[in-house]
Amino acid sequence: MDMKPHREFEIAFVGLKPGVHTFQYEVDESFFENYDGPRDFSNCKATVNLSLDKKSNFFMLKFEIGGTATVNCDRCGEPFELQLWDDFNHVVKLVDNPEEMNESEEDPDVSYISRTESHLNVSDLIYEFIHLSIPMQHIHPDTADGKSGCNPKVIEMLERMNQQAKENDNPIWKGLDKFKDN
């Protein structure tokens, strides 16, 4: 990304005393407009609490993400609002050769910036952590009475299709069933 959006996500760390500093960011749909990547959610509203512990040559960052995003259910296909609740730790080290160090770093929770930098932009980390806070599987949460939160019509249809598939099982494969669990 060559444009420099999100000035509000820039932390001028040079002026910060050693120790813990807290920042809060409100993230909504407009935040994602600066990024091209694919998304399997929409209508994201999140609050990101960041605590930055400034040490002499590195920062310990802790991001706490809370909020909601709309996703489509993998089971019934209907959209629903997913609760986001997650936290992530990240270490940023101040070095002379950040490009080389970033290329050779194996740990995704560590990144490098130049000792000559005065600002740390956390927007890319927030973007990444919001994506990571959304589970791979999107299934409607169960309702208070323990029933599936999915669209009952769709579930009924899926069950009918499963039933038909069982009834239409090709007899040629019948004998192979016993090998299925090996």
Side-chain angles (χ1 to χ4, degrees):
M1 263 181 54
D2 40 85
M3 52 192 208
K4 272 281 182 212
H6 300 150
R7 292 202 69 86
E8 72 269 30
F9 296 97
E10 282 192 4
I11 298 171
F13 59 80
V14 172
L16 297 179
K17 294 183 181 71
V20 178
H21 304 269
T22 55
F23 302 88
Q24 190 176 72
Y25 303 102
E26 296 300 327
V27 173
D28 60 18
E29 276 304 294
S30 64
F31 173 81
F32 296 96
E33 288 164 9
N34 293 295
Y35 293 92
D36 295 335
R39 275 199 299 153
D40 57 357
F41 61 91
S42 62
N43 200 20
C44 180
K45 291 183 185 64
T47 299
V48 179
N49 290 313
L50 166 60
S51 83
L52 178 152
D53 189 354
K54 183 182 181 185
K55 310 284 189 192
S56 55
N57 289 316
F58 67 96
F59 311 118
M60 308 261 309
L61 305 177
K62 181 175 186 183
F63 294 85
E64 290 179 0
I65 293 170
T68 57
T70 301
V71 295
N72 286 336
C73 179
D74 294 337
R75 192 164 39 196
C76 72
E78 305 252 318
F80 71 99
E81 198 173 68
L82 186 73
Q83 294 295 321
L84 305 182
W85 189 253
D86 218 333
D87 56 68
F88 300 92
N89 295 309
H90 193 82
V91 175
V92 176
K93 298 182 179 180
L94 297 163
V95 294
D96 295 321
N97 52 344
E99 283 79 15
E100 286 167 57
M101 297 294 284
N102 279 321
E103 275 170 31
S104 62
E105 180 56 63
E106 301 284 311
D107 187 343
D109 300 327
V110 177
S111 59
Y112 299 88
I113 60 173
S114 171
R115 282 183 206 285
T116 57
E117 282 289 338
S118 59
H119 289 72
L120 172 64
N121 191 319
V122 293
S123 59
D124 288 355
L125 288 170
I126 289 173
Y127 175 80
E128 186 181 329
F129 292 147
I130 285 178
H131 274 269
L132 289 173
S133 69
I134 292 179
M136 295 297 283
Q137 253 199 326
H138 311 145
I139 303 282
H140 271 94
D142 288 346
T143 57
D145 58 5
K147 290 193 176 76
S148 163
C150 287
N151 178 334
K153 287 192 176 70
V154 175
I155 297 303
E156 198 183 310
M157 196 172 78
L158 288 172
E159 283 167 2
R160 267 208 310 274
M161 286 162 68
N162 277 342
Q163 200 48 49
Q164 283 170 350
K166 281 195 186 87
E167 289 162 12
N168 297 340
D169 267 352
N170 190 322
I172 299 173
W173 307 113
K174 272 282 185 275
L176 293 174
D177 277 355
K178 57 178 177 275
F179 300 113
K180 218 166 37 193
D181 296 325
N182 286 1

